[in-house]
Amino acid sequence: MKLTSIDMLAQRREALVQRAAALAHEVRVCAGTACVAAGAGKLSDAIQREAAAKGLVLAVDGDAPDAEATVRLVNTGCQGLCQAGPLVRVLPQDAFYCGVRPKQAARLVSEALQNNAVIADWCAVSPQGQRYATRAEVPFYRHQQAIALEGCGAVAPESLDDYIAHGGFAALVRALEMPPEDIVQTVEDAGLRGRGGGGFSTGRKWRIAASASASERYVICNGDEGDPGAFMDCAIMEGDPFRIIEGMAIAARAIGAQQGFIYVRHEYPKAVARLDKTIVACRKAGLLGAGILGAGFDFDVEIARGGGAFVCGESTALMRSIEGQVGEPRANYIRSVQEGLYGQPTVLNNVETFACVPAIIERGAAWFAATGTPGSSGTKAFCLVGKVAHTGLIEVPMGTTLRQVIFDIGGGVLDGRPFKAVQTGGPSGGCLGEAQLDLPVDFDALTAAGSMMGSGGMIVMDDRTCMVDVAHYYLSFLQSESCGRCVPCREGVAQLCHLLDTMRRGTAKPGDLDRAIRLAQDIAQASLCSLGKSAPNPFLSAVTHFRAEFEAHINDRTCSAGVCRDLTVFAIDAQACTGCGLCAPACPADAIAGAPKQVHAIDAQKCTGCGACRTVCRDDAVRALPRNLPCN
Amino acid sequence: MRSPTPMLIIDWRKCIGCRTCELACAMAKGSPEKLGRPRIAIHRPEDASIPMTCLQCLEAACVKICPVGALSRHPDTGAVVLDENRCIHCQSCVAACPFGHISWAEETRTPLKCDLCGGQPACAKFCPTGALTYK
Amino acid sequence: MQLVIDGIPCTAQSGETILQVARRNHIDIPTLCHHDALEGVGACRLCVVAVRAHAEAVDAQVVASCMYAVKDGLQVDTATPEVRRLRQTVLDLLAARCPDAPEIQALRERMGGDAVDYAPATDGSKCIMCYRCVRACEAIGCNAIAAVNRGPQKEVAPPFFDATQRCIGCGTCAAICPTGHIAVTETPQYREIWSQRFAMAQCAGCGAPFMTEATREHLAGLGKLKPDYFTHCAACRQRDAAARFVRVGT
């Protein structure tokens, strides 16, 4: 149904809100990637089957409910605690269940839905064994604040009705009733900075584009999320796609653009499909296209799909890619806000940045600026991954410390192992150590310490992580993702990666560390684009905080973490070994021998240093030892 | 119609085929130690001898065909001059001149043509009979 | 507008690059991928300089002088120790990429800085990825070659590394290459380049090969001429013209 006026939208919202109020009982099954992989799709089907069998009439997702429906089932986007899926949330009591399997659907329907009981066994549990009766109490969620992720995990992603019922497009209406300059001012006053990692003032970017003289202007949403370990934008694109469209429409209104593009990385086909449905639904409803809501505002959005290149997340390369050219960046001496896509003023913002915009317009700049730190207002979404107890998707106020994120929200290091480092900002970012754990997470504090907040990937590392190996990993990633145009990045990153490789293998020469640092600094200065300019960051930050580890690899040929195979052999601590026998079959080199319930032993000659035995050992009985190569 | 710039006038009937012009050009484009390649050549059709060099056409085929605008007319000397920094070594100009006045130096992979020595053509200066004059 | 390069005040027009202004004022900045007639790519980074927005500014930015448009009041330093070190690194990296390219080795030695030896490539390639061949081929209207693949695997090639109809075998790419990387084989009958064998057109006067048949077609199309306009080599054209002048004269 086409909404031809603002009043019509208001009426529709009113009707939908009333409809939703009549069905306050809601079961939200998380259909984010991790939960689907753990069986959430089958769980949802099973719930619907069981409900039908038990005579419980469900309304599903955004569908209009039957008269007899008493419960709504919503297959939501990512609900955040990916470690513990499939996740199910039951409202209004806010019960929160982890690890719900399809075969438990019958119990869910009869106890939780028909009898309104809370199933204690399924609730999240503290390390002391205490069950959390509501989601609000769960520490993982208690310390979070959702703005960009507000709808993700709540709305039915493909339902325009559900989005409207949750208040969707009210911000756009407000923007249509404001002078465009006021929209820009609001975003500027809110202090919104680019959530893709660059941190440029969003309001200022819009202002420059709005005032540039040109015949066309463009709005582009950067959905090329390429940092390893980052899936915030994936979750928003799959879980709350209408919010992105609304944010883009508000930006278009602010700068005078009529055409927008969402550039989605090739590896997110579900996001592409969902956004496509979203755009079609918006067009049908008169929320995209000519004469939106009868307010004399034309704006349409097209999806551009990437080809599998990390470098196309760089804004100038992204624009070339949309234009149909090879995705190579150009030097940013001329800013894209003045001459961007097709040479016209272009506002390019990250998915998460657009996701913040509707809330800012609706609730005001002061509200947004009241959260966070003076230089970094609002919240930030993170993907907390790696050696952390609770991996998943979170959103916290800027200024939350690393320690709070990793320990209060994340539950500390996995298996209680010692914390070693946290990597943020992806391949452009850096590693920080224990001494930096009390730094606030925002645009500036981490940068001052030699790292950067980045787009939101946060990788926790324990004592079994080798920082030389980590630096090598990032350089090897960048080597294959470099566009190859300029010498410092194409040749330099490859040579730097090679130097790190020699350190891992114990073939590095004295002076190689200083040579590598010098090369890294030169790559940062001389590269053409920000991929090359930031490529040395993981290495340089690792050297800053873990220099001794690099020196040990080069001079002593030892890897204290026991990761670098050429430098490591493993041995079994006879005191700790219980003879469980798990290690022997895990060894690919047949190097472990021992009778059942007897202490096992590793033949150092055969040991390849792979560490499989250490990974499977439940008694922490495997030790990493130097391979005793001759010292430098 | 009088040319707005000076021209190299070739009065071939005065040419005695002494080839001094070729030598002067080679020296002007090179050095006493290493002669350059001359851009003027004496031809001997039947019993005549005639110095052949670029006529600095007003509507030059070489200027038109050059894909990067490396050839252009000098406002003072009237010569069609090659900007060596712009040349992309495609040899289109060599092919285009209907009179074959542009030759190709294989060693440097550059086109060779007369540029009137920047306004003081060496061939005219040294021609003993006045077959070549610049006015 | 006015700017300062190495302490020397220079005037410039809007739209000029730092390199253009510097060269006009006899300030030498080394380049590799730059060519006056081809659109800049900023690939080699040899021409990097340090710029500050105005005389009081403290923070300097390293930019490619061949790509950076001048601004009023700009302060440019072309030869600080930091800039020289960056150029040295560029040449050190290129020398490792092309150990068999004497031109690069010579440039590196002339740089004369604190050189570092990086792990040398062993594929014998002399290509420095300066994009001159690609841009020149685009300039003549053929677009037969481009830079393909990404990162260290990047190389110049025709589509799918195969013979392409777009190539006319003119050899411009080979001629403009600073290291002689592009392989061309020639006989009186044919020229072989980019996996293709091109028939040579023979001069109607002396029989010498003077261009490929494909180049002849291409130039004729460009100049809106018939291919039979191009029948003779330059020397024979000049000889025939001489004969015509004399005949007309008598």
Side-chain angles (χ1 to χ4, degrees):
Chain A
M1 174 220 327
K2 201 159 181 132
L3 302 164
T4 51
S5 71
I6 290 175
D7 281 341
M8 252 187 101
L9 171 62
Q11 283 159 21
R12 181 96 186 118
R13 178 175 302 112
E14 185 58 42
L16 289 167
V17 166
Q18 278 184 12
R19 190 173 89 184
L23 257 188
H25 204 176
E26 199 170 288
V27 54
R28 291 180 182 170
V29 177
C30 176
T33 308
C35 290
V36 167
K42 298 199 176 95
L43 171 62
S44 182
D45 291 343
I47 293 173
Q48 292 178 60
R49 271 199 314 274
E50 289 298 330
K54 291 175 160 58
L56 181 68
V57 179
L58 297 176
V60 179
D61 288 333
D63 298 346
D66 288 345
E68 307 90 53
T70 51
V71 182
R72 212 155 81 90
L73 167 71
V74 187
N75 299 292
T76 69
C78 180
Q79 290 184 20
L81 187 47
C82 306
Q83 183 84 37
L87 302 175
V88 176
R89 191 173 175 197
V90 182
L91 298 169
Q93 58 269 60
D94 202 23
F96 179 67
Y97 303 131
C98 303
V100 184
R101 304 283 162 216
K103 64 180 191 283
Q104 292 165 310
R107 192 175 166 198
L108 180 73
V109 170
S110 56
E111 286 185 40
L113 301 182
Q114 289 179 311
N115 292 350
N116 260 328
V118 170
I119 304 173
D121 315 338
W122 298 356
C123 290
V125 63
S126 76
Q128 293 73 34
Q130 175 211 343
R131 294 275 171 189
Y132 297 108
T134 65
R135 195 179 98 146
E137 296 164 42
V138 177
F140 181 82
Y141 291 102
R142 204 167 67 222
H143 302 276
Q144 293 191 43
Q145 181 182 343
I147 296 180
L149 295 177
E150 193 177 29
C152 190
V155 301
E158 294 182 11
S159 168
L160 176 56
D161 278 348
D162 203 29
Y163 185 66
I164 292 175
H166 276 85
F169 289 105
L172 177 60
V173 165
R174 203 180 265 242
L176 290 173
E177 292 167 341
M178 291 161 81
E181 160 60 33
D182 285 4
I183 304 174
V184 175
Q185 192 64 51
T186 306
V187 172
E188 202 168 22
D189 291 343
L192 178 64
R193 291 170 67 174
R195 295 296 193 252
F200 194 78
S201 158
T202 305
R204 192 144 29 106
K205 184 182 273 192
W206 293 11
R207 185 181 297 288
I208 299 173
S211 56
S213 56
S215 51
E216 300 268 358
R217 268 163 255 256
Y218 296 104
V219 170
I220 301 181
C221 175
N222 187 343
D224 195 65
E225 183 170 62
D227 286 0
F231 51 94
M232 308 75 58
D233 298 345
C234 178
I236 297 173
M237 287 191 280
E238 290 179 11
D240 199 3
F242 287 100
R243 183 179 298 259
I244 301 171
I245 302 295
E246 188 176 4
M248 289 175 72
I250 293 170
R253 172 72 171 176
I255 71 164
Q258 293 178 318
Q259 179 66 48
F261 294 89
I262 305 182
Y263 189 90
V264 185
R265 72 176 287 185
H266 182 87
E267 297 87 344
Y268 285 170
K270 190 167 170 183
V272 170
R274 242 178 211 167
L275 284 163
D276 194 51
K277 287 191 183 152
T278 302
I279 291 170
V280 166
C282 283
R283 284 187 189 139
K284 236 166 129 181
L287 289 163
L288 275 180
I292 293 174
L293 293 175
F297 171 53
D298 303 338
F299 178 61
D300 204 356
V301 175
E302 228 177 273
I303 297 176
R305 198 165 170 188
F310 173 78
V311 69
C312 285
E314 195 277 344
S315 55
T316 61
L318 191 157
M319 290 180 204
R320 284 193 181 200
S321 177
I322 293 180
E323 289 169 3
Q325 301 182 60
V326 172
E328 281 181 3
R330 62 163 170 81
N332 64 346
Y333 309 145
I334 303 164
R335 303 224 86 114
S336 307
V337 275
Q338 270 148 338
E339 281 175 43
L341 186 68
Y342 303 116
Q344 308 286 15
T346 305
V347 154
L348 182 141
N349 279 125
N350 177 263
V351 167
E352 192 184 334
T353 309
F354 282 118
C356 291
V357 166
I360 290 173
I361 297 300
E362 248 215 295
R363 286 174 242 183
W367 162 80
F368 190 78
T371 301
T373 64
S376 309
S377 40
T379 54
K380 181 77 189 77
F382 289 98
C383 286
L384 185 60
V385 297
K387 302 292 176 67
V388 67
H390 304 139
T391 46
L393 175 68
I394 66 174
E395 190 174 0
V396 293
M398 296 274 201
T400 306
T401 66
L402 288 165
R403 190 184 297 279
Q404 284 170 313
V405 173
I406 296 169
F407 291 90
D408 297 345
I409 295 177
V413 180
L414 192 63
D415 296 336
R417 295 209 68 83
F419 172 86
K420 183 162 182 184
V422 58
Q423 208 277 348
T424 55
S428 311
C431 310
L432 296 174
E434 194 166 1
Q436 286 78 40
L437 274 175
D438 292 303
L439 285 176
V441 180
D442 68 12
F443 284 107
D444 307 306
L446 300 188
T447 306
S451 178
M452 74 185 255
M453 182 175 69
S455 66
M458 189 179 288
I459 305 176
V460 178
M461 299 168 177
D462 65 9
D463 62 330
R464 288 181 182 172
T465 309
C466 170
M467 304 316 290
V468 179
D469 185 58
V470 165
H472 175 265
Y473 163 74
Y474 279 110
L475 286 164
S476 139
F477 173 83
L478 288 165
Q479 180 181 328
S480 60
E481 294 295 338
S482 164
C483 83
R485 170 175 284 216
C486 76
V487 172
C489 177
R490 183 188 69 238
E491 304 297 327
V493 168
Q495 293 285 2
L496 189 55
C497 186
H498 173 76
L499 277 167
L500 261 323
D501 196 39
T502 62
M503 292 177 202
R504 287 192 322 162
R505 293 183 189 282
T507 55
K509 302 186 296 295
D512 271 358
L513 186 57
D514 287 328
R515 251 170 246 127
I517 292 171
R518 172 186 152 157
L519 177 59
Q521 290 166 343
D522 290 353
I523 294 170
Q525 289 272 302
S527 289
L528 188 154
C529 83
S530 52
L531 186 153
K533 287 189 186 152
S534 63
N537 289 355
F539 165 64
L540 287 174
S541 64
V543 169
T544 302
H545 299 291
F546 301 94
R547 191 182 176 110
E549 200 167 338
F550 284 83
E551 283 167 350
H553 277 69
I554 299 170
N555 300 328
D556 309 328
R557 303 198 181 177
T558 56
C559 174
S560 57
V563 167
C564 298
R565 297 185 184 197
D566 291 355
L567 310 181
T568 305
V569 288
F570 289 93
I572 293 175
D573 180 349
Q575 310 292 353
C577 176
T578 61
C580 72
L582 277 177
C583 53
C587 176
D590 278 332
I592 307 181
K597 304 254 201 280
Q598 302 294 312
V599 165
H600 281 49
I602 299 174
D603 181 346
Q605 299 302 320
K606 288 189 187 169
C607 175
T608 61
C610 75
C613 52
R614 182 170 69 169
T615 308
V616 303
C617 177
R618 293 185 299 206
D619 303 309
D620 200 14
V622 180
R623 306 274 168 268
L625 297 176
R627 197 177 276 272
N628 283 324
L629 297 173
C631 287
N632 258 332
Chain B
M1 184 196 128
R2 182 154 176 64
S3 166
T5 53
M7 291 168 57
L8 184 74
I9 317 272
I10 303 174
D11 189 351
W12 61 268
R13 268 174 274 253
K14 293 187 184 163
C15 177
I16 57 172
C18 67
R19 305 184 75 184
T20 305
C21 54
E22 288 182 13
L23 188 60
C25 180
M27 293 194 71
K29 292 306 179 193
S31 65
E33 295 83 24
K34 187 171 189 328
L35 293 180
R37 293 209 2 202
R39 293 103 201 273
I40 187 166
I42 296 298
H43 282 261
R44 296 181 165 281
E46 291 150 40
D47 284 326
S49 65
I50 168 170
M52 294 290 280
T53 188
C54 175
L55 300 171
Q56 321 296 353
C57 307
L58 282 169
E59 303 256 344
C62 62
V63 171
K64 268 213 216 108
I65 207 169
C66 177
V68 293
L71 289 156
S72 58
R73 184 167 219 86
H74 194 288
D76 303 322
T77 66
V80 173
V81 178
L82 171 73
D83 179 350
E84 296 219 350
N85 286 325
R86 288 194 71 85
C87 177
I88 62 169
H89 317 285
C90 68
Q91 300 191 54
S92 302
C93 54
V94 177
C97 177
F99 312 109
H101 289 315
I102 305 186
S103 57
W104 182 250
E106 197 53 58
E107 322 80 62
T108 51
R109 290 173 303 193
T110 47
L112 300 172
K113 76 173 293 296
C114 167
D115 61 357
L116 295 177
C117 295
Q120 315 245 350
C123 54
K125 190 160 156 198
F126 287 100
C127 174
T129 62
L132 294 164
T133 50
Y134 181 64
K135 50 180 186 245
Chain C
M1 58 178 76
Q2 303 286 327
L3 60 149
V4 178
I5 304 180
D6 292 348
I8 301 167
C10 306
T11 48
Q13 307 283 351
S14 159
E16 289 195 290
T17 62
I18 294 176
L19 182 68
Q20 272 175 301
V21 179
R23 286 196 167 162
R24 192 168 58 238
N25 288 273
H26 308 292
I27 297 166
D28 183 40
I29 300 175
T31 60
L32 265 177
C33 68
H34 171 77
H35 189 286
D36 278 1
L38 303 171
E39 199 179 323
V41 287
C44 72
R45 316 309 286 176
L46 196 56
C47 70
V48 286
V49 296
V51 300
R52 285 174 298 131
H54 51 83
E56 286 73 43
V58 170
D59 293 327
Q61 198 191 348
V62 171
V63 302
S65 57
C66 70
M67 302 288 289
Y68 194 91
V70 294
K71 297 179 189 141
D72 202 30
L74 197 68
Q75 308 285 312
V76 182
D77 289 299
T78 72
T80 63
E82 293 76 29
V83 167
R84 292 181 62 82
R85 189 179 112 170
L86 293 177
R87 293 196 193 129
Q88 184 67 54
T89 295
V90 166
L91 290 169
D92 289 346
L93 289 169
L94 282 175
R97 179 192 164 95
C98 305
D100 299 323
E103 300 84 354
I104 302 301
Q105 304 300 332
L107 251 180
R108 182 190 184 206
E109 255 160 79
R110 271 212 303 281
M111 195 67 219
D114 183 15
V116 174
D117 290 326
Y118 294 107
T122 49
D123 59 3
S125 160
K126 294 198 268 186
C127 173
I128 59 169
M129 283 305 303
C130 66
Y131 287 78
R132 281 173 159 222
C133 53
V134 171
R135 290 178 282 162
C137 192
E138 188 185 10
I140 65 171
C142 290
N143 282 297
I145 50 177
V148 304
N149 290 336
R150 200 168 66 204
Q153 281 72 47
K154 204 173 200 70
E155 58 181 303
V156 175
F160 309 104
F161 298 91
D162 208 351
T164 171
Q165 279 193 329
R166 289 174 169 272
C167 182
I168 57 174
C170 66
T172 301
C173 52
I176 204 173
C177 174
T179 61
H181 168 76
I182 298 174
V184 187
T185 319
E186 282 199 36
T187 71
Q189 285 76 40
Y190 63 80
R191 175 182 292 159
E192 228 168 58
I193 188 173
W194 294 118
S195 314
Q196 223 177 138
R197 190 172 274 199
F198 294 90
M200 294 302 283
Q202 264 113 26
C203 172
C206 64
F210 69 106
M211 62 167 62
T212 65
E213 291 283 358
T215 304
R216 196 152 85 168
E217 303 269 339
H218 176 79
L219 286 178
L222 272 187
K224 299 179 183 48
L225 305 159
K226 297 212 260 303
D228 60 15
Y229 176 90
F230 304 101
T231 51
H232 288 69
C233 70
C236 289
R237 260 180 277 150
Q238 200 178 59
R239 193 196 59 234
D240 290 352
R244 279 204 303 279
F245 284 146
V246 164
R247 234 178 292 126
V248 162
T250 24

